[in-house]
Amino acid sequence: MSQIFHPSTNTLSKVSIVSVVLLLGGLGYGLLALNRSPYVARTKIPFDQPVPFSHKHHVAGLGIDCRYCHTTVERTASAGMPTTETCMSCHSMIWTNAPMLEPVRQSWATGKSLEWTRVHDLPGFVYFNHSIHVNKGIGCASCHGRVDQMPLVHQENTLYMEWCLDCHRHPEKHIRPRDKVFEMAYQPPANQLELGAKLVKEYKVQKLTDCYTCHR
Amino acid sequence: MKRLPWLLLIGGSMLMMGCRQDMHDQPRFRLNAATDLFGDRRAARPLVQGTVARGMLKTDTALWSGKVGNKNVDQFPFPITREVIERGRDRYNIFCSPCHGLTGHGDGMIVSRGLKKPPSYHTDALREQSVGHIYNVITNGNGSMMSYASRIPMRDRWAITAYVRVLQQSQNVKVSELTAEERRKLEGAQ
């Protein structure tokens, strides 16, 4: 009885085994990469807003502190969105005829809220509190990126659980002195891990990785 | 092969199950959410008039409104420590310096962009104003300045008031009032 398979099928079978493994691995890797891509995670995409508010102009250009508008970031879970009154503190006097500010003036005149589009949209099952993070030395830019360079705000990071956990497991990689939290251009020093470990101790930062820290 | 469409349908609908976002988008209102339930489209409802949160009856008018009767108080309603002044500097630099400038001369960044120049703190008229007056301007606004009551909590407004006093003093000290050491420093700087 002759051989059923020609000797060349030896090579074919080896190649196909390797390529199936590679293909499946590649597919898995590709899916994970897709999941973290700007397209799926909605990062790096500026959102249309009722008023094209530029953080770049107000923060980098004018030097206004984050907390001038986000007044509750040190006290409550929400950083706080500025009221129309906050906008009008200056814009009742300057740029009073700018067409792009018409919605703000409308809101001021009618008392109706400006309806901004939420950029950082955490899932409903995640609890997040701004105040604890800024009070423990996590800078605004660590999560939000260089907002002072954004004409229109986009989401810088995925806000995925793996991203949160990376910092909750290793806070020393990202922590900074409390008085630098609102500094947009802060550069971590060369000995960040050393300084970080010291600050983690000093600020009594706990490595909270229990499920119920965020899912409560 | 008759089974193929069914398999596709079941397989396809099982894949679709992953697309439901019920847990992400839960049927509750988040802060500042919009809704069609109310005419003003706000999910956050205004408090019923006359509502008082526990401990917030504000009977201490000197503390809350900076006034006793109709008169601005001329004493701080609580002791001003170094800590309070440092807090005041911090808050002043955030909320006031954009217009009033870091030293209170009314030369802030926004003024250079066309805002009407606010008065300098360093005039006799403003140096003689009571602390209650300064607190009231922060709380209720004055002229073209808006109220900051919704942005700065009461104790921080007093802390800023204290820091404004510090600024006024910092720009109005006679050389003869300095200690010998400070005078030496000043002469060294010149």
Side-chain angles (χ1 to χ4, degrees), chain A residues 188-207:
Chain A
N191 63 342
Q192 168 64 30
L193 288 182
E194 204 182 306
L195 173 80
K198 197 182 126 239
L199 290 177
V200 163
K201 218 171 189 180
E202 191 183 324
Y203 297 165
K204 301 189 174 67
V205 173
Q206 303 171 56
K207 296 188 180 180

Side-chain angles (χ1 to χ4, degrees), chain A residues 61-62 67-68 71 74-75 78 85-86 88-89 92-94 108 111 113 115 118 121-125, chain B residues 23-24 26 28 30-32 34 41-42 91 94-95 109-110 113-115 144 146-148 150-151 153:
Chain A
L62 302 176
R67 293 163 287 182
Y68 185 88
T71 55
E74 296 166 299
R75 293 185 270 135
S78 161
E85 183 181 61
T86 302
M88 292 302 275
S89 297
S92 60
M93 289 175 273
I94 53 176
W108 186 242
S113 300
E115 293 189 30
R118 195 184 288 272
D121 195 9
L122 277 184
F125 48 78
Chain B
M23 293 284 279
H24 277 74
Q26 295 173 11
R28 61 182 164 87
R30 290 190 296 182
L31 193 74
N32 297 337
R41 298 203 18 89
R42 291 178 197 143
R91 299 294 112 173
I94 296 169
F95 291 104
M109 173 58 111
I110 313 301
R113 300 300 171 102
L115 190 105
S144 44
M146 297 265 172
S147 155
Y148 279 74
S150 67
R151 285 172 261 180

Side-chain angles (χ1 to χ4, degrees), chain B residues 69-120:
Chain B
N70 269 332
K71 208 176 158 290
N72 287 324
V73 295
D74 46 19
Q75 295 280 316
F76 284 96
F78 56 86
I80 301 302
T81 59
R82 187 182 183 89
E83 224 171 36
V84 173
I85 289 172
E86 276 171 0
R87 173 77 180 171
R89 173 173 61 189
D90 187 54
R91 299 294 112 173
Y92 178 90
N93 290 348
I94 296 169
F95 291 104
C96 316
S97 72
C99 300
H100 289 281
L102 287 167
T103 49
H105 281 97
D107 56 353
M109 173 58 111
I110 313 301
V111 176
S112 73
R113 300 300 171 102
L115 190 105
K116 198 181 104 195
K117 190 175 184 295
S120 163

Side-chain angles (χ1 to χ4, degrees), chain A residues 50-185:
Chain A
V51 180
F53 178 85
S54 167
H55 278 82
K56 186 176 176 181
H57 169 68
H58 289 86
V59 182
L62 302 176
I64 295 175
D65 193 282
C66 311
R67 293 163 287 182
Y68 185 88
C69 301
H70 304 291
T71 55
T72 55
V73 72
E74 296 166 299
R75 293 185 270 135
T76 66
S78 161
M81 280 294 284
T83 58
T84 304
E85 183 181 61
T86 302
C87 307
M88 292 302 275
S89 297
C90 295
H91 289 298
S92 60
M93 289 175 273
I94 53 176
W95 293 94
T96 47
N97 292 315
M100 71 167 96
L101 290 174
E102 185 54 30
V104 180
R105 291 191 292 269
Q106 277 295 318
S107 165
W108 186 242
T110 62
K112 285 213 159 146
S113 300
L114 280 164
E115 293 189 30
W116 303 97
T117 305
R118 195 184 288 272
V119 177
H120 296 83
D121 195 9
L122 277 184
F125 48 78
V126 177
Y127 173 81
F128 179 80
N129 188 315
H130 276 91
S131 67
I132 189 70
H133 288 86
V134 298
N135 287 320
K136 295 275 184 180
I138 300 301
C140 307
S142 297
C143 304
H144 292 290
R146 289 294 299 273
V147 177
D148 63 325
Q149 304 294 323
M150 300 179 191
L152 277 178
V153 163
H154 64 251
Q155 185 180 311
E156 182 71 15
N157 291 296
T158 60
L159 311 188
Y160 286 171
M161 187 165 143
E162 60 170 10
W163 175 81
C164 297
L165 276 176
D166 177 52
C167 191
H168 272 231
R169 286 183 181 129
H170 309 289
E172 66 280 359
K173 287 201 295 193
H174 303 281
I175 196 167
R176 53 172 89 176
R178 276 197 186 114
D179 58 343
K180 306 278 189 238
V181 164
F182 297 93
E183 207 170 281
M184 275 289 139

